[in-house]
């Protein structure tokens, strides 16, 4: 065995080579070959034995979970090698904490000598090791600097709206003329469109998944594999049928991705630091989005509606088959919780909607200590909303005067306020310009020594404070003005939208989600004349709240159709679906049945007395027999 003894020790050398990025050669990177050549020559000159060579080609120095590096650690622990050499210290790693741990703790504990040839680092040379921690810090600073530059370059490209992922998302292909631009994939875009349409109709993710799976459509991973993309075949090795089984996450990812509205989304998962391998997920509303980077498969309005529906907690259909078209829309006026649809099982109704009422979910879960019931009949809500939509639709089509009146009422306050804000905005901008001139003049006075340093600092601090206050107020005014302009445009957009729904007879989830943001339901109240009424506020898209509705809650029996009494034959309105008699006959029959019940009760009591008397007579007779 070749080797050299230093301090009576023979070195079995492990030669370690690393490069962060593969330079594109067929086999090993050119730099890896250079490292091998330098280290091999060094080992030969020392006359040591090269026990093993470890190569990590294409691995970052900030991460020590490299395959060959971990194999080297195992060989050290097994005693295969007792000396590690690298071309320079940065080849071992660029994390100064981990490098220090290996150099100062792990290697000495295992009697391993470490040498970085070009840096002159040798763990046997104590004076050279004194400066080694600073070398590690510099190596890490280099990695950190490279990381910052790469991230900056990626962010710049992202801000330009360039798509940088390796493969296009489902429903898109990369533009052959520009791989950073997306084009709609006509082969599967209709599937994406269908998924969004189902969501707009109120379908939940499980129901959409079931619908898509019935059509035997290739799932996104299978479709990617069919297009020649690698890394997906492992999902289908055991079962070919898996190619056509969509998962709920696939549906959810499509519905959540701003890509399908024509926007570029990024920074969904962020690493907390360069040293961490974890990437923490962010909520969809925290993603960074660049709008209008490519053609969308759905409109922005449809996408926003789906996001709101997915964010709301809702039940689309209860066990009785009732379709909750107001899911995610209807809220409690007092606590803000959603109102949930509940079946009232004691009712017998021909239409399922008449067997359902909405009530506050907070009250249902936590009792009247936190809120009240806010009950509203599903039929009442349906009729009120349908009538209000038809009212606005008829107005938008036929009554231009009423339209102008509503537009004026909704925007008049905003217009008058906007004028005042615009005046304030001009005044603030003028003052900022004056402050800029004052700063310039003040600095000139300081340079020319017309004022002292103390006075300059005092005046500049005063001006700077005023500048910051003006800029903050100017930002607030600008945002308020933008909101006002958007509201004026929103009225026109709303009237243009609602015209399409003139004369509708039925409501469904698609119509509700297209027109309404939310519906607020108040608790029932009894007014002075004893009438019970309930207030509903509908917040329409683009314009928000227009005016409250006051409804008279339906009595629970009023929804039933009249029927004929089975005794006298007259027509009457029943109290329940199982009613057979009119009120007069019911009262008469109740009295007759009550009398019969009393007779039966008295007869039972009389019979019980007779049996008890007979039992007592038997006991007395038996006692007399015992005496005689």
């Amino acid at each position: 065995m070749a080797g050299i003894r230093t301090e009576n020790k023979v070195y079995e050398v492990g030669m370690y080579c690393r490069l962060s990025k593969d330079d594109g050669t067929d086999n090993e990177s050119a730099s890896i070959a250079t490292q091998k050549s330098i280290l091999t020559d060094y080992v030969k000159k020392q006359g040591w034995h090269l026990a093993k060579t470890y190569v990590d080609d294409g691995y970052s120095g900030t991460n020590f979970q490299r395959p060959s590096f971990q194999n080297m650690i195992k060989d050290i622990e097994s005693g295969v090698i007792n000396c590690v050499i690298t071309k320079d210290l940065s080849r071992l790693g660029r994390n100064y904490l981990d490098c220090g741990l290996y150099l100062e703790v792990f290697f000495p504990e295992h009697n391993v000598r470490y040498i970085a040839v070009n840096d002159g680092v040798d763990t046997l040379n104590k004076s050279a090791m004194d400066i080694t921690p600073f070398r590690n810090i510099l190596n890490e600073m280099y990695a950190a600097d490279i990381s910052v530059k790469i991230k900056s370059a990626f962010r710049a490209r992202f801000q330009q709206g360039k798509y940088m992922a390796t493969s296009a998302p489902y429903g898109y292909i990369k533009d052959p003329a520009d791989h950073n631009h997306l084009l709609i994939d006509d082969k599967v875009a209709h599937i994406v469109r269908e998924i969004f349409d189902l969501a707009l109709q109120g379908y939940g993710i499980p129901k959409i998944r079931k619908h898509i799976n019935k059509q035997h459509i290739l799932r996104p991973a299978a479709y990617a594999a069919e297009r020649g993309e690698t890394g997906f075949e492992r999902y289908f090795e055991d079962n070919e049928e898996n190619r056509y089984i969509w998962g709920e996450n696939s549906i959810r990812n499509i519905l959540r991705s701003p890509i399908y509205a024509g926007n570029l989304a990024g920074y969904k998962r962020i690493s907390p630091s360069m040293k961490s391998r974890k990437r923490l997920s962010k909520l969809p509303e925290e993603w960074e989005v660049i709008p209008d980077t490519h053609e969308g498969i759905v409109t922005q309005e449809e996408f926003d509606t789906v996001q709101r529906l997915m964010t709301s907690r809702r039940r689309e259909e209860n066990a009785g088959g009732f379709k909750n078209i107001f899911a995610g829309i209807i809220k409690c006026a007092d606590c803000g919780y959603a109102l949930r649809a509940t079946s009232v099982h004691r009712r017998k109704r021909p239409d399922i909607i008449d067997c359902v009422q909405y009530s506050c979910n907070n009250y249902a879960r936590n009792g009247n200590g936190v809120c009240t019931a806010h009950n509203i009949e599903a039929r009442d809500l349906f009729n009120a909303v349908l009538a209000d939509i038809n009212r606005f639709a008829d107005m938008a089509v036929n009554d231009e005067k009423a339209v102008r009146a509503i537009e004026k009422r909704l925007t008049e306050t905003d217009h008058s306020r906007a004028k005042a804000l615009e005046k304030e905005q001009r005044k603030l901008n003028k003052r900022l310009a004056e402050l800029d001139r004052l700063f310039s003049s003040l600095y000139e006075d300081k340079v020319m020594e017309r004022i002292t340093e103390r006075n300059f600092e005092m005046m500049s601090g005063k001006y700077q404070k005023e500048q910051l206050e003006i800029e903050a107020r100017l930002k607030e005014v600008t945002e308020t003005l933008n909101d006002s302009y958007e509201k004026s445009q929103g009225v026109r957009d709303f009237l243009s939208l609602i015209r399409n729904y003139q004369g509708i007879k039925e409501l469904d989830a698609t119509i509700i989600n297209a027109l309404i943001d939310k519906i607020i339901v108040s608790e029932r109240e009894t007014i002075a004349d004893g009438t019970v009424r309930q207030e509903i506020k509908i917040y329409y898209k683009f314009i928000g709240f227009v005016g409250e509705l006051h409804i008279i809650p339906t009595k629970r029996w009023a929804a039933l159709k009249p029927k004929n009494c089975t005794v006298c034959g007259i027509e009457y309105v029943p109290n329940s679906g199982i009613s057979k008699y009119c009120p007069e006959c019911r009262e008469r029959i109740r009295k007759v049945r009550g009398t019969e019940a009393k007779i039966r009760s008295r007869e039972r009591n009389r019979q019980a007395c007779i049996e008890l008397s007979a039992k007592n007579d038997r006991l007395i007779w038996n006692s007399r027999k015992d005496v005689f």
Side-chain angles (χ1 to χ4, degrees), residues 226-252:
E226 190 178 70
R227 290 193 303 185
E229 297 178 22
T230 59
F232 296 101
E233 286 297 331
R234 65 182 185 276
Y235 297 117
F236 322 115
E237 291 175 351
D238 298 331
N239 186 355
E240 187 68 18
E241 190 61 25
N242 283 345
R243 294 180 181 273
Y244 302 94
I245 299 177
W246 286 60
E248 289 189 6
N249 280 339
S250 296
I251 303 294
R252 183 179 291 104

Side-chain angles (χ1 to χ4, degrees), residues 608-622:
C609 288
I610 292 173
E611 292 177 357
L612 181 59
S613 178
K615 181 178 181 182
N616 290 336
D617 289 343
R618 286 195 298 273
L619 290 173
I620 294 171
W621 172 252
N622 289 334

Side-chain angles (χ1 to χ4, degrees), residues 463-475:
Y463 291 153
Q464 188 172 15
K465 181 181 178 183
E466 186 180 358
Q467 264 187 333
L468 293 174
E469 291 173 351
I470 290 175
E471 288 172 352
R473 176 56 184 165
L474 190 59
K475 181 180 179 183

Side-chain angles (χ1 to χ4, degrees), residues 333-527:
D334 293 319
C335 69
Y337 271 61
L339 267 64
R340 66 180 183 182
T342 56
S343 296
V344 183
H345 299 294
R346 62 180 175 275
R347 303 183 196 173
K348 302 295 181 182
R349 298 290 189 270
D351 296 327
I352 186 64
I353 191 173
D354 297 312
C355 300
V356 175
Q357 70 178 9
Y358 288 94
S359 58
C360 175
N361 203 23
N362 192 18
Y363 166 79
R365 288 182 176 181
N366 304 309
N368 56 14
V370 293
C371 199
T372 54
H374 291 75
N375 290 333
I376 183 171
E377 299 291 320
R379 174 71 73 180
D380 288 345
L381 180 64
F382 182 93
N383 290 341
V385 174
L386 179 62
D388 205 53
I389 290 175
N390 275 315
R391 177 169 69 92
F392 280 112
D394 289 339
M395 188 185 300
V397 174
N398 301 319
D399 196 343
E400 187 66 29
K401 184 177 179 181
V403 168
R404 287 197 299 271
I406 289 179
E407 186 173 358
K408 182 179 180 182
R409 178 160 62 90
L410 290 174
T411 60
E412 185 173 18
T413 303
D414 290 326
H415 281 323
S416 59
R417 189 184 178 202
K419 290 180 180 178
L421 289 173
E422 286 172 352
K423 183 177 179 180
E424 183 181 1
Q425 188 181 45
R426 290 193 295 271
K427 185 177 178 181
L428 292 171
N429 282 322
K430 183 179 179 181
R431 180 57 180 165
L432 276 179
E434 289 176 356
L435 287 173
D436 288 339
R437 289 194 296 273
L438 287 171
F439 262 122
S440 177
S441 176
L442 186 65
Y443 183 74
E444 184 178 342
D445 289 342
K446 175 180 178 289
V447 173
M448 301 299 295
E449 296 183 350
R450 297 191 188 109
I451 60 173
T452 64
E453 182 72 26
R454 178 178 175 274
N455 287 339
F456 174 78
E457 294 292 340
M458 181 183 68
M459 293 302 296
S460 64
K462 178 183 175 182
Y463 291 153
Q464 188 172 15
K465 181 181 178 183
E466 186 180 358
Q467 264 187 333
L468 293 174
E469 291 173 351
I470 290 175
E471 288 172 352
R473 176 56 184 165
L474 190 59
K475 181 180 179 183
E476 183 181 340
V477 168
T478 303
E479 290 176 352
T480 305
L481 282 172
N482 290 338
D483 291 341
S484 176
Y485 300 147
E486 289 176 4
K487 191 168 185 179
S488 298
Q489 180 61 39
V491 174
R492 294 188 288 272
D493 292 339
F494 170 72
L495 294 172
S496 176
L497 174 65
I498 204 167
R499 285 190 181 96
N500 301 321
Y501 297 94
Q502 185 187 25
I504 60 172
K505 303 297 182 185
E506 293 291 333
L507 294 176
D508 57 33
T510 304
I511 295 174
I512 295 298
N513 294 326
L515 292 176
I516 298 174
D517 279 327
K518 63 180 177 179
I519 300 172
I520 304 298
V521 176
S522 299
E523 185 59 275
R524 296 180 181 185
E525 60 175 343
T526 303
I527 55 180

Side-chain angles (χ1 to χ4, degrees), residues 150-162 164 267:
I150 291 174
K151 287 179 179 178
S152 297
F154 274 112
R155 180 170 284 279
R157 300 184 74 190
F158 174 76
Q159 295 292 342
Q160 294 169 7
K162 295 183 180 295
M164 293 174 290
Y267 300 92

Side-chain angles (χ1 to χ4, degrees), residues 158-362:
F158 174 76
Q159 295 292 342
Q160 294 169 7
K162 295 183 180 295
Y163 183 81
M164 293 174 290
T166 305
S167 57
Y170 185 78
Y172 285 94
I173 57 174
K174 287 196 171 187
D175 188 344
D178 179 6
H179 280 203
N180 296 123
H181 182 254
L182 296 175
L183 299 176
I184 291 178
D185 185 353
D186 294 328
K187 293 181 180 178
V188 294
H190 67 282
I191 304 299
V192 175
R193 173 77 251 183
E194 183 177 6
I195 289 172
F196 275 91
D197 286 343
L198 292 172
L200 288 169
Q201 294 173 31
Y203 281 49
I205 290 175
K207 197 171 181 180
I208 295 174
R209 173 180 176 268
K210 185 177 180 181
H211 178 85
I212 296 296
N213 282 337
K214 284 181 179 178
Q215 301 181 47
H216 206 66
I217 298 169
L218 282 173
R219 59 191 277 195
Y223 183 70
E226 190 178 70
R227 290 193 303 185
E229 297 178 22
T230 59
F232 296 101
E233 286 297 331
R234 65 182 185 276
Y235 297 117
F236 322 115
E237 291 175 351
D238 298 331
N239 186 355
E240 187 68 18
E241 190 61 25
N242 283 345
R243 294 180 181 273
Y244 302 94
I245 299 177
W246 286 60
E248 289 189 6
N249 280 339
S250 296
I251 303 294
R252 183 179 291 104
N253 291 340
I254 288 175
L255 292 174
R256 281 294 192 191
S257 177
I259 284 284
Y260 299 103
N263 309 319
L264 183 64
Y267 300 92
K268 303 176 184 179
R269 299 175 65 210
I270 301 296
S271 177
S273 75
M274 177 192 72
K275 300 179 184 180
S276 175
R277 297 299 104 187
K278 294 182 179 179
R279 300 181 66 197
L280 305 178
S281 296
K282 301 171 76 174
L283 294 173
E285 52 268 28
E286 297 174 337
W287 296 348
E288 295 187 32
V289 178
I290 306 299
D292 302 324
T293 58
H294 56 275
E295 184 181 357
I297 296 176
V298 300
T299 66
Q300 186 64 49
E301 291 75 16
E302 290 171 330
F303 179 80
D304 291 340
T305 299
V306 169
Q307 303 319 296
R308 178 173 51 76
L309 290 175
M310 291 182 68
T311 302
S312 300
R313 292 184 176 182
R314 57 200 173 92
R315 296 175 66 186
E316 298 135 355
E317 187 173 308
N318 65 11
F322 172 70
K323 291 184 177 180
N324 185 8
I325 62 174
F326 298 105
I329 297 289
I330 182 171
K331 308 289 182 182
C332 174
D334 293 319
C335 69
Y337 271 61
L339 267 64
R340 66 180 183 182
T342 56
S343 296
V344 183
H345 299 294
R346 62 180 175 275
R347 303 183 196 173
K348 302 295 181 182
R349 298 290 189 270
D351 296 327
I352 186 64
I353 191 173
D354 297 312
C355 300
V356 175
Q357 70 178 9
Y358 288 94
S359 58
C360 175
N361 203 23
N362 192 18

